[in-house]
């Protein structure tokens, strides 16, 4: 086991306690990090997706550092959709695609514009099984023999990246991220159907000015779970337009309004100059720094609300509406008491306006992450 995986397993327990091996929570999303950007994601309602499948020992000239935690044979009997973000060799692996085609486990392949021809001509995928979408386009599907009780919507979303498999086809095909929304049939003990949402960021940089990921969050979020890249970012002058670093990954997590995120795209291949163990360490540090800042702001808001309450009490005493030691809370009809209530409401509203605490885990390859269950 690599030192990075050991570090990841230690840091993940600090970042989040939702790493579990059992699938007993029927209202949670389960994500297994197979390696690099390959994840197996299982949703309530028996939906299963696979992201950027890569099971080979090489990505172009780059040799794999850690073997994939699952093989194609280890995958479930049916994968509803394989999501492919773009055509780079570490995300679109020819031999892995052939293995999946031969296994006959994949119901649909979802690809950005331009990749349908590649799948048909290079890998022999049947055109009827390929869903090719542009940015902001979506497609609805249901499992076979499901009678439309469960449904899944996959949406092609933007990313800041680029495409190329040869020196002559740069940006001839589209690149993307993916949003997945599943709605399982209603559980007998519940009064409504819950929709579960997942975001796969693919490969992306963080635009310095344009609010790309905030748009994704506004249009498709919030998300119960996201898989966001944190590696291959050094040197920054060369990598920043295509790959986010851990601090930028946290900003993406916040912008898309993810409840929880899992780190991907590090440790498996040496694609950049940073040490293998650095991305999860920097992620943990950034999550701690951001959460400390949020808690500090929340404490300041609460202190300000308490100050408003104290002023209201003093005004009530000075106006003679209450005596010293009287309970201001009982004087709901007095102006000062109303001021106090208003002040408390302002404090609560300000706290609600603060960013949520960041829940962003770096797990070990092969570990299974369980999202927080939906509220009943």
């Amino acid at each position: 086991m690599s030192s990075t995986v050991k570090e990841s397993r230690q840091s993940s327990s600090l970042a989040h306690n939702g790493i579990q091996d059992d699938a007993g929570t029927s209202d949670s999303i389960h994500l297994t990090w197979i390696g690099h950007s390959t994840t197996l994601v299982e949703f309530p309602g028996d939906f299963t997706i696979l992201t950027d499948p890569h099971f080979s020992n090489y990505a172009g000239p780059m040799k794999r550092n850690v073997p994939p935690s699952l093989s194609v044979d280890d995958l479930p009997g049916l994968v509803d959709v394989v999501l492919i973000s773009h055509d780079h060799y570490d995300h679109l692996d020819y031999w892995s695609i052939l293995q999946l085609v031969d296994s006959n486990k994949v119901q649909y392949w979802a690809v950005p514009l331009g990749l349908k021809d590649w799948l048909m001509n290079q890998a022999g995928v049947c055109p009827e099984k390929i869903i090719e979408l542009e940015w902001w386009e979506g497609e609805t599907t249901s499992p076979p023999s499901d009678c439309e009780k469960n449904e899944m919507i996959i949406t092609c979303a933007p990313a800041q990246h680029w495409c190329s498999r040869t020196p002559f086809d740069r940006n001839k095909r589209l690149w993307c991220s993916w949003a997945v929304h599943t709605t399982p049939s209603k559980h007998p003990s519940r009064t409504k159907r819950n929709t579960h949402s997942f975001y796969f960021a693919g490969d992306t940089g963080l635009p310095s000015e344009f609010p790309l990921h905030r748009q994704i969050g506004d249009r498709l979020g919030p998300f119960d779970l996201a898989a966001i890249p944190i590696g291959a970012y050094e040197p920054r002058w060369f990598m920043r337009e295509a790959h986010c670093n851990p601090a930028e990954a946290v900003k993406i997590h916040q912008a898309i309004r993810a409840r929880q995120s899992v780190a991907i795209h590090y440790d498996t291949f040496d694609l950049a100059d940073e040490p293998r163990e650095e991305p999860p360490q920097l992620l943990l540090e950034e999550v701690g720094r951001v959460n400390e800042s949020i808690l500090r702001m929340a404490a300041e808001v609460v202190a300000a609300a308490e100050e408003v309450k104290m002023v209201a009490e003093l005004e009530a005493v000075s106006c003679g509406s209450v005596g010293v030691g009287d309970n201001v809370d009982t004087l709901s009809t007095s102006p000062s008491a109303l001021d106090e209530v208003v002040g408390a409401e302002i404090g609560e509203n300000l706290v609600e306006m603060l960013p949520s605490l960041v829940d962003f885990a770096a797990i070990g390859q092969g570990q299974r992450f369980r999202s927080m269950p939906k509220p009943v």
Side-chain angles (χ1 to χ4, degrees):
M1 181 184 296
S2 72
S3 60
T4 304
V5 173
K6 292 179 181 177
E7 289 285 349
S8 300
R9 296 192 179 206
Q10 293 169 359
S11 64
S12 65
S13 64
L14 296 173
H16 176 66
N17 61 3
I19 301 165
Q20 307 239 347
D21 289 327
D22 66 285
T25 303
S26 61
D27 212 23
S28 297
I29 301 171
H30 293 79
L31 180 148
T32 303
W33 185 34
I34 297 175
H36 199 53
S37 294
T38 308
T39 66
L40 180 68
V41 188
E42 299 163 285
F43 295 83
D46 295 326
F47 283 109
T48 301
I49 66 171
L50 184 68
T51 65
D52 284 353
H54 200 299
F55 300 93
S56 301
N57 290 326
Y58 286 87
M62 300 296 178
K63 192 176 189 306
R64 196 178 191 110
N65 294 321
V66 183
S69 61
L70 296 176
S71 68
V72 171
D73 292 337
D74 295 326
L75 297 176
L78 176 69
V79 175
D80 293 286
V81 180
V82 170
L83 303 178
I84 297 177
S85 63
H86 64 296
D87 67 4
H88 287 162
Y89 284 84
D90 58 321
H91 294 260
L92 179 64
D93 179 59
Y94 173 72
W95 298 108
S96 298
I97 301 299
L98 289 186
Q99 280 185 283
L100 286 166
V101 171
D102 291 342
S103 74
N104 202 31
K105 290 184 175 183
V106 179
Q107 183 182 9
Y108 293 110
W109 303 76
V111 298
L113 191 66
L115 269 178
K116 182 176 182 177
D117 286 344
W118 189 95
L119 284 180
M120 291 189 302
N121 299 332
Q122 301 297 321
V125 179
C126 297
E128 296 80 12
K129 289 192 169 188
I130 304 173
I131 301 169
E132 186 179 57
L133 301 173
E134 295 188 59
W135 289 350
W136 304 121
E137 285 187 332
E139 183 82 10
T140 302
T141 182
S142 295
S145 69
D146 188 62
C147 300
E148 299 184 355
K149 291 180 181 178
N150 302 333
E151 71 173 13
M152 174 167 60
I153 302 173
I154 54 174
T155 306
C156 181
Q160 179 170 287
H161 204 60
W162 57 287
C163 278
S164 177
R165 287 185 75 83
T166 74
F168 311 106
D169 65 350
R170 187 180 177 92
N171 294 342
K172 296 293 186 181
R173 292 175 281 264
L174 194 61
W175 57 93
C176 73
S177 59
W178 292 98
V180 180
H181 294 80
T182 67
T183 306
S185 55
K186 187 175 70 175
H187 191 276
S189 65
R190 299 208 170 107
T191 58
K192 66 177 182 178
R193 298 167 67 191
N194 280 331
T195 295
H196 303 268
S197 51
F198 171 71
Y199 179 70
F200 172 56
D203 245 0
T204 188
L206 178 68
S208 57
E209 296 181 4
F210 185 71
L212 173 66
H213 294 95
R214 186 167 297 279
Q215 281 195 0
I216 294 171
D218 289 343
R219 295 181 66 163
L220 300 172
F223 296 98
D224 298 315
L225 184 62
I228 301 176
I230 66 167
Y233 49 80
E234 291 291 352
R236 293 309 289 148
W237 66 267
F238 182 67
M239 290 293 193
R240 77 172 314 277
E241 296 301 323
H243 293 151
C244 59
N245 62 25
E248 292 167 335
V250 170
K251 292 179 180 178
I252 292 173
H253 164 94
Q254 293 177 304
I256 63 171
R257 293 188 290 146
R259 293 173 71 202
Q260 297 174 280
S261 290
V262 172
I264 57 171
H265 198 271
Y266 72 99
D267 188 47
T268 309
F269 297 105
D270 293 328
L271 301 175
D273 289 351
E274 76 271 2
R276 287 172 57 192
E277 66 276 3
E278 183 179 276
Q281 291 175 351
L282 292 185
L283 175 66
L284 187 63
E285 292 172 6
E286 181 66 11
V287 168
R289 187 194 66 79
V290 171
N291 284 343
E292 284 180 9
S293 176
I294 294 171
L295 291 173
R296 186 165 55 249
M297 287 189 292
E300 291 172 355
V301 168
V302 170
E306 287 295 322
E307 186 175 346
V308 170
K309 179 178 179 180
M310 290 177 61
V311 170
E313 291 177 350
L314 291 174
E315 287 180 350
V317 171
S318 63
C319 292
S321 57
V322 296
V324 176
D326 287 348
N327 186 359
V328 180
D329 293 336
T330 62
L331 304 178
S332 58
T333 58
S334 72
S336 295
L338 291 176
D339 288 343
E340 179 190 346
V341 172
V342 171
E345 289 180 351
I346 291 174
E348 291 176 1
N349 292 336
L350 287 174
V351 169
E352 289 179 359
M353 291 172 62
L354 292 173
S356 300
L357 291 175
V358 173
D359 192 343
F360 197 145
I363 66 175
Q365 296 186 46
Q367 282 190 304
R368 200 177 197 206
F369 183 95
R370 188 182 70 191
S371 71
M372 290 186 294
K374 285 277 194 178
V376 178

